[in-house]
Amino acid sequence: MSGKFKAPRGTFDIVYPDSEKLERILQIGYEILIRHGYRRISTPIFENTEVFRRGIGEDTDIVTKEMYTFEDRGGESLTLRPEGTAPVIRAYLERSLYSGGIPQKLFYFGPMFRRERPQAGRYRQFHQLGAEAIGSDDPAIDSEIISIPDIYFKELGLRKYRVVVNSIGCLNCRKPYIERLTAFLESAKHDLCNDCKKRAKRNPLRIFDCKEEACSEALLKAPLMPDFLCEDCRAHFDSVLEMLKVLGVSYEVEPRLVRGLDYYTRTAFEFIFEGLGAQNAVCGGGRYDYLAEALGGPPSGGVGFSVGIERLLRAIELEGACPVVLPRLDVFVAWIEGTSRKQVLEILASLRRERLCADSDFMGRSLKAQMKHANRLGARFVVIVGGEEQKRGEVVLRDLDSSEQWTVGRSKLAQKIREALGEQWGETDG
Ligand code: HAM
């Protein structure tokens, strides 16, 4: 049975058992975030386009090339969110969340949309689990934000990654740096690829993202941001690094690390994983001290991270980490031909009321085919309704694991299943 339609390019369905793995890793992430004092926020999937234009920056790849922007029937320009930070700050300002105390520590999960060229680890709809701490410029909060994904990845059993950090300064120290870098790029322009020639004019910092070998070589002697930090930014960066040590995060300073969004100031970081190919950053983030102002609010610094969930799932698969125990169906209710459907449904509903995970046949299968289906669903028990037993108010209960079988009064069925499940738990526990 193959249909006519396919999921749009760069998007995919998340189906069982991957959907179950996703739930499990999210649950672990939420627990860690809540333990650190972060609370969930959900913002709309689309925003007024200006939120991203002003927030992320007019000259970024995201804003110039990758946004899904459309005019709605009222003539308003809307954009499917390409990331979660600008919307969270929009909500923070619109709803005066600072009045609930600062820093506001918020986390979110949801789909993001970027019209990038699809490849392994790069999709047009992907999911991020992210956190933002807004309203504090204490370097300790930067180090907390970097430590959370580190704790998360370790708790998931991941080992093969590096934490790279940099400081990209503030508006004061970045300006003279960009001037120096631009002058350098002008002198090296004959060695740069065409894209980098354009970047040199539009967004020179992004030049460090180029993967072309010739460009990397040409940039070996480029001036680097950390050498241009002003006194305050230097002190802030040194404190962040010191506190990362206190928190037990192993990091590497990477003076060429720049990020693809313009709102960053000072701290920038990424978690780079082995074996993921070109798209090897599973998490990225940093500080954004001017973002609130860019969105029309009062100055309020913030810092955050986002984990790319698809890349995280791939890293987990590669390392064989975080094995997930898939939930089992406790009981499948089968019935013999001619049995009243009402009675079957009553039994099914009563088992579910008893909080057992129960299912039944809805295809009119033969008993043999129902048993096969029960096995396919991974059921532990099958209840067979019908025949002589039913006339006596009883059913047959079969343990598919041990092949044991009992005749049980209907009123005792749930209790008997519970007992049998309990015995099994008892054995494995002790
Ligand atoms: P970002 O580096 O653009 O930062 O994205 C964060 C993570 O999302 C990346 O490291 C990657 O794992 C994942 N990701 C990004 N684009 C794609 C894609 N096309 N396909 C699959 N995964 C992708 C941000 O979005 C910032 N909002 C992070 C942040 C939060 N900064 C401060 N607070």
Side-chain angles (χ1 to χ4, degrees):
M1 262 198 282
S2 87
K4 189 173 162 196
F5 295 109
K6 285 185 169 164
R9 208 162 112 75
T11 73
F12 56 89
D13 309 302
I14 304 172
V15 299
Y16 189 86
D18 284 350
S19 49
E20 197 60 38
K21 286 185 193 154
L22 172 66
E23 283 308 315
R24 182 70 195 123
I25 64 165
L26 287 177
Q27 217 177 30
I28 294 172
Y30 295 164
E31 273 166 23
I32 293 169
L33 284 156
I34 290 167
R35 215 192 293 159
H36 283 79
Y38 291 73
R39 300 290 175 255
R40 177 105 186 225
I41 180 169
S42 291
T43 63
I45 276 173
F46 54 84
E47 296 273 348
N48 187 302
T49 302
E50 281 303 295
V51 170
F52 301 115
R53 274 190 185 289
R54 293 195 203 169
I56 299 172
E58 297 275 358
D59 286 331
T60 55
D61 283 353
I62 294 180
V63 171
T64 53
K65 299 196 279 208
E66 296 168 2
M67 294 203 305
Y68 284 95
T69 297
F70 59 98
E71 203 173 278
D72 82 350
R73 284 163 195 265
E76 188 181 359
S77 178
L78 299 171
T79 293
L80 297 184
R81 63 179 180 202
E83 61 102 46
T85 309
V88 166
I89 300 302
R90 193 269 307 136
Y92 173 82
L93 296 170
E94 180 184 345
R95 304 178 67 91
S96 310
L97 295 182
Y98 40 83
S99 60
I102 48 175
Q104 274 285 309
K105 295 169 127 191
L106 306 167
F107 73 89
Y108 51 89
F109 168 73
M112 308 291 159
F113 307 86
R114 296 183 195 175
R115 200 180 183 287
E116 296 193 79
R117 200 167 43 78
Q119 62 180 84
R122 189 159 74 185
Y123 310 105
R124 291 182 170 176
Q125 174 174 331
F126 57 97
H127 296 79
Q128 285 184 344
L129 173 63
E132 314 293 342
I134 314 159
S136 163
D137 52 18
D138 183 350
I141 197 91
D142 301 47
S143 51
E144 175 176 291
I145 277 288
I146 300 172
S147 73
I148 293 173
D150 190 50
I151 291 168
Y152 184 29
F153 296 152
K154 291 214 172 96
E155 205 155 313
L156 290 171
L158 295 167
R159 296 288 175 270
K160 296 185 177 164
Y161 64 88
R162 298 178 300 128
V163 186
V164 291
V165 288
N166 192 17
S167 173
I168 53 169
C170 64
L171 287 185
N172 292 336
C173 47
R174 209 179 308 158
K175 198 161 169 259
Y177 169 65
I178 300 272
E179 279 165 18
R180 278 285 279 283
L181 180 63
T182 309
F184 171 83
L185 294 175
E186 180 58 30
S187 68
K189 70 179 174 198
H190 300 297
D191 302 324
L192 299 176
C193 71
N194 282 340
D195 276 351
C196 280
K197 280 184 188 130
K198 284 185 213 149
R199 284 189 193 117
K201 293 211 168 73
R202 255 185 36 213
N203 204 347
L205 269 185
R206 298 290 298 158
I207 216 138
F208 290 109
D209 267 351
C210 185
K211 303 262 186 315
E212 296 284 331
E213 216 167 286
C215 294
S216 307
E217 233 163 80
L219 290 174
L220 280 177
K221 293 214 170 82
L224 297 173
M225 187 63 229
D227 297 328
F228 287 76
L229 294 178
C230 63
E231 220 174 286
D232 285 352
C233 287
R234 179 81 254 166
H236 186 273
F237 191 40
D238 287 345
S239 301
V240 172
L241 299 181
E242 237 169 73
M243 284 184 262
L244 281 177
K245 283 186 199 136
V246 172
L247 294 178
V249 179
S250 309
Y251 62 84
E252 293 163 30
V253 174
E254 172 47 86
R256 284 157 207 269
L257 173 70
V258 289
R259 306 263 305 126
L261 305 101
D262 275 357
Y263 52 58
Y264 290 111
T265 47
R266 294 189 166 175
T267 314
F269 62 89
E270 279 178 354
F271 285 67
I272 305 293
F273 277 67
E274 236 175 69
L276 289 189
Q279 307 304 319
N280 57 1
V282 172
C283 171
R287 173 165 280 283
Y288 42 84
D289 286 341
Y290 309 116
L291 178 55
E293 280 163 273
L295 296 182
S300 26
V303 58
F305 70 79
S306 304
V307 173
I309 292 297
E310 285 76 9
R311 291 186 196 173
L312 177 61
L313 282 167
R314 180 76 187 122
I316 287 174
E317 193 182 309
L318 283 176
E319 285 200 46
C322 192
V324 172
V325 182
L326 296 173
R328 269 189 94 170
L329 190 66
D330 294 325
V331 51
F332 184 88
V333 182
W335 86 88
I336 297 170
E337 214 187 320
T339 311
S340 144
R341 288 293 277 126
K342 277 191 197 163
Q343 284 196 6
V344 175
L345 268 185
E346 265 169 27
I347 293 175
L348 180 63
S350 70
L351 292 171
R352 287 171 172 167
R353 275 198 300 276
E354 291 291 335
R355 309 231 161 262
L356 287 163
C357 181
D359 208 347
S360 186
D361 175 62
F362 296 95
M363 299 304 292
R365 290 182 174 93
S366 69
L367 186 60
K368 195 172 158 207
Q370 289 183 61
M371 298 303 281
K372 210 171 141 195
H373 190 54
N375 265 311
R376 187 161 50 197
L377 295 178
R380 167 73 197 275
F381 295 97
V382 172
V383 172
I384 303 166
V385 188
E388 285 307 307
E389 286 83 0
Q390 192 198 0
K391 291 183 194 142
R392 297 197 302 267
E394 292 175 332
V395 291
V396 170
L397 175 65
R398 187 181 297 171
D399 183 334
L400 292 184
D401 283 5
S402 68
S403 301
E404 266 182 285
Q405 185 164 304
W406 308 270
T407 303
V408 188
R410 269 187 55 179
S411 57
K412 298 260 165 50
L413 181 59
Q415 190 190 335
K416 177 73 191 165
I417 295 173
R418 285 230 162 279
E419 269 170 30
L421 286 170
E423 273 169 27
Q424 191 203 27
W425 292 333
E427 277 165 25
T428 46
D429 282 353

